């Protein structure tokens, strides 16, 4: 794992240093290609449902039903010398199994916005500034029967703000962004989780009687390097692939430990409304330990088990409605 992280870091460093010197001919794109200027917006909502039931099934099984509600909105604006892209992604899912209470399976609030200014009329590279925000709607639990939340709204919440270079203005389906100057802020706006030192913030300090001398901190700030790559295209007829990779390392603490966030989704369109989705989401965050114990006398954290690779897989079939097409259709005479 260490060798992989070091290799990724070296690649990112070389990429960010030499980014302005890369010839556009490497990408086989003509700089003078005609652009689609102005606003381009897209808004859609979706509902995915999965259900399994058994009756006298000799192989066994548990009746279950799960549902995911999603909403996406994007606004892209282009001019000859600059662009501004923003997107909002909302998802929330629940699962109900026989003899068990409702359990959350999906919970995402994500906002991304980036602004780019042309480097030169003959180049596809842009000076770029990027903002992103991530959190969740509801409490998260390690199991359906657990009453102690391990996460809440804005616990955690992540904000990335940085500046760098971006390639991809002439290719809607592909972009690269490298920022050697990125501020990452982690929010844990829940007192209990902050006192535990969850998600990398400093935990509370206790006296010998177990009383809190100093509360846990609600924020943690890091300053480091961010690299992102995104690809979106129709790889086969009615099958769209969307892949987004984010790599981040902090200059000041544990330099060389790369946080990874990689999401891949396949959207398979059955007809105008019905769509199937297959998704994979992989994460690695050095600040999130798998298991931590606290010394009752010194309040010193003892890492029982370090950070692990987190992975989530999704497969669903549902109804997706393009709100823009509905509005356009209703406005026609």
């Amino acid at each position: 794992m260490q060798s992989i992280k070091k290799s990724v870091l070296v690649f990112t460093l070389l990429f960010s240093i030499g980014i302005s010197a890369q010839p556009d001919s490497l990408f086989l794109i003509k700089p003078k290609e005609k652009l689609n200027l102005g606003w381009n917006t897209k808004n859609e909502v979706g509902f995915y449902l999965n259900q399994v039931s058994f009756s006298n099934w000799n192989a066994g099984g548990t009746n279950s039903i799960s549902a995911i509600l999603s909403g996406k909105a994007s606004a892209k604006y282009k001019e000859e010398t600059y662009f501004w892209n923003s997107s909002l992604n909302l998802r929330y899912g629940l699962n109900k199994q026989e003899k068990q209470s409702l359990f959350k399976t999906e919970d995402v609030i994500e906002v991304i916005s980036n602004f780019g200014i042309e480097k030169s009329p003959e180049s596809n590279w842009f000076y770029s500034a990027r903002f992103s925000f991530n959190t969740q709607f509801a409490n998260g639990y390690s199991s359906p029967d657990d009453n102690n939340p391990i996460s809440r709204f804005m616990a955690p919440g992540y904000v990335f703000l940085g500046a760098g270079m971006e390639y991809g203005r002439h290719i809607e389906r592909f972009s690269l962004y490298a920022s050697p100057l990125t501020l990452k802020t982690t929010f844990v706006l829940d007192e209990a989780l902050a006192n535990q030192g969850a998600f990398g913030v400093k935990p509370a300090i206790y006296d010998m009687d177990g009383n809190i001398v100093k509360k846990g901190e609600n924020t943690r700030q890091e300053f480091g390097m961010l690299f992102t790559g995104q690809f979106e295209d129709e790889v086969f007829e009615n099958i769209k692939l969307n892949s987004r990779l984010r790599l981040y390392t902090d200059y000041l603490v544990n330099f060389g430990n790369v946080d990874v966030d990689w999401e891949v989704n396949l959207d398979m369109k059955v007809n105008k409304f019905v769509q199937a989705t297959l998704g994979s989401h992989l994460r690695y965050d050095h600040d999130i330990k798998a298991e931590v114990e606290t010394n009752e006398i010194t309040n010193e954290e003892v890492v029982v088990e370090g950070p692990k690779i987190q992975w989530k897989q999704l497969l669903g079939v549902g109804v997706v409605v393009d709100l823009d097409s509905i509005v356009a259709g209703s406005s026609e005479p």
Side-chain angles (χ1 to χ4, degrees):
M1 178 61 71
Q2 291 294 331
S3 61
I4 295 175
K5 291 189 288 184
K6 288 181 180 179
S7 299
V8 171
L9 177 62
V10 170
F11 172 78
T12 307
L13 283 169
L14 294 175
F15 181 83
S16 61
I17 293 173
I19 195 168
S20 61
Q22 298 297 322
D24 294 318
S25 59
L26 290 177
F27 298 92
L28 305 178
I29 297 298
K30 297 179 180 179
K32 295 296 185 179
E33 183 181 351
K34 185 179 179 180
L35 301 177
N36 182 18
L37 303 180
W39 284 102
N40 181 16
T41 62
K42 185 175 182 179
N43 303 281
E44 63 181 30
V45 294
F47 181 74
Y48 299 88
L49 184 66
N50 295 309
Q51 187 264 341
V52 178
S53 63
F54 302 89
S55 179
N56 301 320
W57 190 254
N58 61 6
T62 302
N63 297 339
S64 68
I65 184 170
S66 61
I68 296 177
L69 181 64
S70 67
K72 295 181 181 179
S74 64
K76 299 180 180 181
Y77 183 76
K78 281 187 179 180
E79 283 297 339
E80 290 288 349
T81 58
Y82 67 90
F83 71 88
W84 180 29
N85 297 336
S86 297
S87 64
L88 171 66
N89 186 18
L90 307 174
R91 296 197 303 271
Y92 190 76
L94 292 172
N95 175 270
K96 178 67 172 71
Q97 293 188 11
E98 189 178 9
K99 299 179 181 179
Q100 290 189 0
S101 57
L102 279 172
F103 189 60
K104 183 176 69 173
T105 57
E106 185 83 348
D107 195 351
V108 174
I109 302 175
E110 179 184 62
V111 179
I112 298 176
S113 184
N114 64 310
F115 179 80
I117 300 177
E118 186 177 69
K119 180 177 178 289
S120 73
E122 300 300 323
S123 176
N124 288 323
W125 292 100
F126 281 74
Y127 299 108
S128 181
R130 179 176 290 241
F131 165 86
S132 68
F133 167 75
N134 300 78
T135 188
Q136 61 191 49
F137 288 101
N139 295 351
Y141 301 90
S142 58
S143 66
D145 300 324
D146 192 0
N147 294 321
N148 297 316
I150 58 174
S151 61
R152 294 179 182 269
F153 174 74
M154 289 301 293
Y158 297 103
V159 171
F160 289 85
L161 180 62
M165 297 289 290
E166 182 162 5
Y167 174 85
R169 183 200 188 203
H170 295 271
I171 308 178
E172 288 292 341
R173 68 180 185 273
F174 176 74
S175 68
L176 291 174
Y177 170 79
S179 169
L181 305 171
T182 296
L183 179 67
K184 175 186 177 183
T185 304
T186 302
F187 295 90
V188 183
L189 304 186
D190 177 79
E191 186 174 345
L193 292 173
N195 289 338
Q196 295 172 17
F199 308 105
V201 299
K202 290 185 178 180
I205 298 176
Y206 298 83
D207 60 19
M208 298 295 291
D209 297 323
N211 300 313
I212 295 180
V213 177
K214 184 180 179 181
K215 293 183 179 180
E217 295 187 357
N218 296 114
T219 61
R220 180 189 180 189
Q221 291 190 326
E222 301 171 73
F223 183 71
M225 177 187 302
L226 176 67
F227 171 84
T228 65
Q230 183 164 342
F231 176 82
E232 182 177 355
D233 194 22
E234 189 174 23
V235 291
F236 299 103
E237 185 178 359
N238 294 327
I239 299 179
K240 181 181 289 186
L241 172 67
N242 188 313
S243 176
R244 186 178 64 200
L245 173 67
R246 181 170 66 192
L247 307 173
Y248 179 82
T249 185
D250 181 43
Y251 291 132
L252 306 179
V253 181
N254 296 320
F255 180 71
N257 287 313
V258 180
D259 293 340
V260 180
D261 192 312
W262 185 21
E263 189 169 4
V264 180
N265 291 294
L266 270 176
D267 294 329
M268 295 161 280
K269 188 175 181 180
V270 179
N271 55 40
K272 186 177 180 180
F273 296 106
V274 179
Q275 179 175 293
T277 296
L278 175 63
S280 171
H281 196 171
L282 184 147
R283 283 180 178 174
Y284 175 85
D285 192 331
H286 185 74
D287 298 321
I288 301 178
K289 314 302 181 185
E291 186 177 353
V292 177
E293 292 183 352
T294 303
N295 189 304
E296 296 181 357
I297 299 177
T298 65
N299 197 41
E300 180 182 2
E301 285 190 343
V302 179
V303 178
V304 178
E305 194 170 359
K308 288 184 175 182
I309 294 177
Q310 307 170 47
W311 183 63
K312 179 176 66 177
Q313 182 267 333
L314 171 68
L315 174 62
V317 178
V319 177
V320 178
V321 179
D322 187 337
L323 299 180
D324 290 332
S325 62
I326 293 179
V327 173
S330 62
S331 62
E332 294 179 358

